[in-house]
Each structure stands twice: as structure tokens, then as C-alpha cells.
């Protein structure tokens, strides 16, 4: 199920980051939990009532500027707008309607996106309301007064935003597995897609994602249909390295959001890097199936230890996802591309595998017998039972007497036992701990 994307745009200093943090709130902290991953605070997973969406912050739009930094911020905002389902256009009541706001409004109108006009810094509702009406002049719809600082008006505004979500997005899509090809610029993403298209010559269609940044390609392999989501499609000229990185991260988020399985390409010539880990973290947080494809395997000098050495490096750097499948490929020569599809099949199956409750509990009982659950101050953790509640990724609820006694390390132990018994290669597993009184 893919989630809608909401982008926050506006001039610098209107309060976008403040608003972002306010909405994202504690969610950010959860995202940060992924070990080994440093987070860029440019996107967050948000729930509002029964809606889940991805919130994207943008640097800010300063129309018509010659300053390189501001220009690149604008490009980034344009990209976020392209990817977004709904745009929150933030303006500042204390500064009033500025020329730059009109320019941003023009830009948004041209993008034909659903827009919610957010008038921020309305710290005193009664006094400032007349100023809010000024923003009707932007011709972009009703202004929604809020104060990010005082957390006022946020609820009504978010109701407005979520009401605009496309209905089909929040429902289950077609049956074909969706595969996101992600990785740093120049790692070989386009080459891989081209190879896949060239090799099997069964191009069904080549549809540009209508509103999204990523390009969807339908590929049929041995009679099975897949949708590949390619993040390489759109490329912008940009000189600032940090900004290039932000682009590729935003693009990755939007592709991963729509995928079941993620193929993270790593450059064999460079080895695994910090940016690769960041990208991997995005897939991990969203619970996607995971394949790591070390590309350009043709281009490096190899000996008997190369595979082992690379594997170790990847396992160390991506220690938070020991479940990831690792492959060594060449998009150029086509080496081991059939293996890539074998791995995809495995991961797709495991990602939606269901285990019957009876079988899960046999494993649980065995595990508990082999290693006693932890205790604290004389009180011991009791695990009553466990059941799988959902797939993509497989998610288990564990019923216990006292949540606080459930150590991270014991959850990890149970996960290992489940994996030993059922495999689940290539997919993360989720464990939700619930308390239940003994009956
Ligand atoms: P951005 O550049 O659009 O991301 O703006 P920031 O979030 O960095 O905010 C710019 C300034 O506006 C900061 O000093 C904030 O504290 C302030 N600010 C943000 N929201 C509000 C608000 O609702 N009321 C008031 N009075 N100030 C705010
Ligand atoms: P993208 O930015 O990730 O889409 O990367 P591209 O597909 O544009 O590839 C970047 C460069 O790496 C191009 O010059 C490709 O020819 C080269 N390249 C891609 N895959 C391979 C590979 O498997 N082996 C070698 N030797 N070069 C590759």
C-alpha cells in the first residue's frame, strides 16, 4: 500500500521547519531508532487520524534569485512539488502577502497540484484574523490560519490536507510486485533498467509516473509481470554536492514508498558508503523487502576473497538489516541478472508469507524453553502467545504480562528463532509487544 506524499513549501522563514517538526513530532524519534543511520530531517512518516502519509520539508523557495544556494533550494522544492499529492503552501501572517508569495502561488498553479494554503504565525487568533483574509489575494483558495509555535489550528488544517488525498492511493493497488531500483547517482540504475528491457524484449509499456518523480517500467520475466520503479529517470543539473544528495534522498523516499521490494545498488568500485546506508535505512524503516545488488562486478579485480570481503563490509555497515539478500551483478554485461529475478521471487514471497498461529507458538514455546525470558527485580517476563497479524512486512504481535520486561535483545532472540524456523530471507520482520492480563 503506498502512502500519499505531502510537501511543505513556501518562502524561507515563514515557519516551514517549525511546522514540519510540530507535525512530525515524536515520529522523528522513532525514525531515528534505526541503528547506524544518521537522519536527514527532510521527511517523516506521519499519522493523522486514520491517514498515514509522508511529510516532506523543503528548503524554501525564493523566486528569481541569482544566489546559487537559494536557487538550488527552489529546485528542490520544485521536485518535492512534482512528487507530492498535496502541497502545503505556507505563508507568514506577520509579514503579510509578499511579492515572493505571488510567485510561489503562480508556480504551484502551474503544477496543478492540490494545495492547502497555510497562514502561519497566527499566534493571536482574534487580533490577526483580518490579516489572514489578505491571503485570499493569492487566488489559491481559502487560507487556513495556524500557529506552529502555539500548536493552534493544526488539526483543522490536517483534516483539510488528508481530505485531498487521492482515494485510490490509500487502497490496495494491482497485484504485480513493485520493485524500486535505488542507489547513488551513477551506480548503474538506468543501465540495469535498460539491460532488463533489452534482454527480454517483452516491453509491455513504458509509462511515465503521472505525478511522481520516478518512472515505472513494466517488465515481464519468465512469464511473470513486475513493475520496476526507477529513480534515475529525472536528472537535474546541480552543482552543490549536498543538494544532489538531498535530491536523491527525496527521490528514493518516493520510489520506496510505492515499492514492495527495494533493490539497492552499490558500486563495486567504491565499496559501500554512508549514503548507501542512508538509502538502506529508508527501505528498512518502511519495512520493504530488501536486495542489495553490488553492481559493476565486471569492472573490479577479483580474487577468491572478494565476495566474502564485500559481504562482510556490507553486513557491518548495514548491521540493522542482516536479512538483506546480497548479489553481485553487472548491469553492463548482464552477469547474474537471472539470479536477481530468483532473489526477487524469494523476497516477494517471504515479504508476504503468513505463518499459522499454532506453528508460531510451537516455535515460541521451544524458544522460551531454551532461553528463559528476562526478569527484573524478581518479576519475570511471561510470554503468553504470539500471532502474525499482517504481511508486507510480516508483523507479529507478542502478548506478555509486562511490556517493560521485554528487552530488545529478547525480541531479537525471538526474531532469530522465527527466522531459523521459517526463513524470511530478504524481509524485515516487525514485532509488536502487547500486554494482556492472565485469564
Ligand atoms: P522556514 O525557513 O520556513 O523553515 O522557517 P522556520 O521554521 O525556520 O521559522 C522561521 C522563524 O519563524 C523562526 O524563528 C520560528 O521560531 C518562527 N516561527 C515559526 N512558526 C511560528 C509561529 O507560529 N509563530 C511565531 N510567532 N513564530 C513562528
Ligand atoms: P545511474 O545514475 O545510477 O542511473 O547510473 P547509470 O546507469 O547512468 O551508470 C553510470 C555509469 O556507470 C555509466 O557510465 C555506465 O556505463 C556505468 N555502468 C553502469 N553499470 C555498469 C556495470 O555493471 N559495469 C561497468 N563497468 N559500468 C557500469
Amino acid at each position: 500500500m503506498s502512502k500519499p506524499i505531502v510537501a511543505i513549501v513556501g518562502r524561507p522563514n515563514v515557519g516551514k521547519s517549525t511546522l514540519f517538526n510540530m507535525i512530525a513530532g515524536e515520529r522523528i524519534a522513532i525514525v531515528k531508532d534505526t541503528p547506524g543511520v544518521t537522519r536527514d530531517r527532510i521527511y517523516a512518516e506521519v499519522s493523522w487520524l486514520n491517514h498515514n502519509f509522508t511529510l516532506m520539508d523543503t528548503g524554501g523557495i525564493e523566486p528569481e534569485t541569482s544566489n546559487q544556494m537559494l536557487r538550488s533550494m527552489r529546485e528542490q522544492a520544485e521536485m518535492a512539488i512534482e512528487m507530492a499529492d498535496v502541497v502545503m503552501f505556507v505563508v507568514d501572517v506577520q509579514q503579510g502577502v509578499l511579492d515572493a508569495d505571488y510567485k510561489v502561488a503562480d508556480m504551484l498553479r502551474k503544477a496543478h497540484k492540490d494545495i492547502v494554503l497555510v497562514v502561519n504565525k497566527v499566534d493571536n487568533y482574534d487580533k490577526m484574523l483580518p490579516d489572514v483574509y489578505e491571503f485570499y489575494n493569492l487566488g489559491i483558495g481559502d487560507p487556513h490560519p495556524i500557529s506552529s509555535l502555539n500548536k493552534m489550528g493544526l488539526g483543522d488544517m490536517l483534516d483539510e490536507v488528508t481530505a485531498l488525498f487521492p482515494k485510490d492511493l490509500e487502497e490496495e493497488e494491482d497485484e504485480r510486485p513493485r520493485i524500486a531500483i535505488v542507489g547513488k547517482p551513477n551506480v548503474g540504475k538506468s543501465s540495469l533498467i535498460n539491460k532488463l528491457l533489452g534482454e527480454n524484449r517483452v516491453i509491455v509499456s513504458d509509462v511515465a509516473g503521472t505525478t511522481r518523480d520516478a518512472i515505472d517500467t513494466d517488465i515481464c520475466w519468465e512469464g511473470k509481470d513486475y513493475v520496476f520503479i526507477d529513480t534515475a529517470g529525472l536528472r537535474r543539473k546541480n552543482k552543490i554536492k549536498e543538494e544532489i544528495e538531498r535530491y536523491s534522498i527525496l527521490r528514493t523516499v518516493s520510489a520506496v514508498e510505492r515499492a514492495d521490494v527495494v533493490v539497492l545498488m552499490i558500486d563495486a568500485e567504491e565499496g559501500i558508503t554512508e549514503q548507501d546506508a542512508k538509502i538502506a535505512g529508508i527501505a528498512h524503516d518502511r519495512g520493504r523487502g530488501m536486495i542489495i545488488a553490488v553492481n559493476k562486478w565486471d569492472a573490479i579485480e577479483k580474487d577468491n576473497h572478494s565476495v566474502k570481503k564485500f559481504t562482510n563490509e556490507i553486513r557491518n555497515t548495514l548491521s540493522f538489516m542482516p536479512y538483506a539478500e546480497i548479489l553481485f551483478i553487472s548491469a553492463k554485461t548482464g552477469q547474474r541478472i537471472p539470479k536477481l529475478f530468483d532473489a526477487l521471487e524469494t523476497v516477494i514471497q517471504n515479504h508476504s508469507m503468513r505463518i499459522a498461529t499454532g506453528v508460531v507458538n510451537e516455535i515460541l514455546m521451544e524458544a522460551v524453553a531454551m532461553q528463559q525470558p528476562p526478569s527484573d527485580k524478581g518479576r519475570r517476563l511471561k510470554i503468553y502467545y504470539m500471532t502474525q497479524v499482517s504481511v508486507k512486512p510480516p508483523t507479529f504481535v507478542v502478548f506478555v504480562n509486562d511490556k517493560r520486561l521485554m528487552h530488545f535483545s529478547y525480541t531479537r532472540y525471538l526474531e532469530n528463532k522465527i527466522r531459523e524456523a521459517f526463513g524470511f530471507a530478504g524481509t524485515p520482520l516487525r514485532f509488536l509487544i502487547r500486554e494482556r492480563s492472565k485469564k
Side-chain angles (χ1 to χ4, degrees), residues 19-301:
L19 176 62
F20 176 84
N21 289 332
M22 209 60 82
I23 297 174
E26 9 175 78
R27 287 274 148 183
I28 293 272
I30 294 169
V31 168
K32 268 194 191 149
D33 271 348
T34 310
V37 180
T38 35
R39 285 274 153 214
D40 213 338
R41 291 182 136 214
I42 53 177
Y43 67 91
E45 297 314 307
V46 175
S47 304
W48 175 248
L49 303 177
N50 51 347
H51 297 281
N52 300 311
F53 59 95
T54 300
L55 186 65
M56 279 186 182
D57 191 12
T58 64
I61 311 177
E62 193 71 84
E64 288 172 9
T65 172
S66 53
N67 178 303
Q68 171 70 48
M69 189 63 213
L70 291 175
R71 243 193 5 235
S72 95
M73 268 158 61
R74 183 178 64 213
E75 281 171 23
Q76 189 199 321
E78 283 169 355
M79 199 186 72
I81 293 165
E82 259 173 56
M83 291 190 293
D85 296 292
V86 179
V87 175
M88 281 186 203
F89 174 22
V90 186
V91 292
D92 178 344
V93 78
Q94 303 189 359
Q95 287 202 291
V97 192
L98 300 193
D99 194 38
D101 293 324
Y102 282 106
K103 300 241 164 70
V104 176
D106 274 345
M107 215 177 104
L108 290 175
R109 255 193 300 273
K110 283 184 196 130
H112 301 290
K113 284 292 156 89
D114 284 320
I115 299 160
V116 174
L117 177 58
V118 181
V119 183
N120 190 31
K121 309 197 189 178
V122 187
D123 301 338
N124 181 332
Y125 203 82
D126 294 333
K127 225 171 83 195
M128 293 173 161
L129 210 54
D131 299 331
V132 171
Y133 296 134
E134 287 285 305
F135 290 92
Y136 271 111
N137 289 327
L138 290 173
I140 217 138
D142 298 333
H144 295 81
I146 65 161
S147 166
S148 299
L149 224 51
N150 301 342
K151 287 198 183 193
M152 272 170 15
L154 292 184
D156 288 349
M157 190 265 289
L158 287 174
D159 283 345
E160 192 68 28
V161 168
T162 52
L164 291 169
F165 287 166
K167 291 290 161 282
D168 56 334
L169 244 191
E170 293 187 279
E171 284 156 18
E172 210 64 51
E173 287 169 9
D174 71 53
E175 299 280 284
R176 295 173 303 169
R178 307 177 65 86
I179 324 295
I181 307 289
V182 303
K184 291 180 298 190
N186 283 320
V187 69
K189 297 182 293 297
S190 317
S191 305
L192 178 62
I193 296 280
N194 289 339
K195 193 74 186 172
L196 295 178
L197 286 173
E199 293 254 303
N200 71 101
R201 294 177 197 286
V202 203
I203 309 165
V204 184
S205 66
D206 201 354
V207 194
T210 42
T211 60
R212 306 308 181 97
D213 193 39
I215 308 292
D216 291 354
T217 308
D218 297 343
I219 286 175
C220 179
W221 183 270
E222 295 187 340
K224 260 205 83 172
D225 291 325
Y226 302 84
V227 180
F228 278 78
I229 306 166
D230 173 14
T231 53
L234 256 168
R235 197 164 296 174
R236 280 154 208 262
K237 286 176 207 83
N238 204 301
K239 310 230 161 46
I240 303 173
K241 183 169 170 285
E242 187 193 320
E243 289 299 312
I244 295 176
E245 220 184 283
R246 284 172 76 96
Y247 282 155
S248 66
I249 290 199
L250 285 177
R251 218 178 273 143
T252 302
V253 171
S254 98
V256 167
E257 204 56 81
R258 302 165 55 222
D260 301 305
V261 178
V262 171
V263 176
L264 169 61
M265 296 181 76
I266 286 172
D267 195 326
E269 292 182 302
E270 288 181 35
I272 185 156
T273 66
E274 201 40 51
Q275 199 187 343
D276 294 325
K278 255 189 210 171
I279 298 174
I282 295 170
H284 176 79
D285 289 343
R286 294 193 177 40
R288 303 304 190 233
M290 192 74 196
I291 295 173
I292 292 164
V294 182
N295 190 37
K296 309 194 186 178
W297 199 239
D298 61 294
I300 61 160
E301 294 245 10

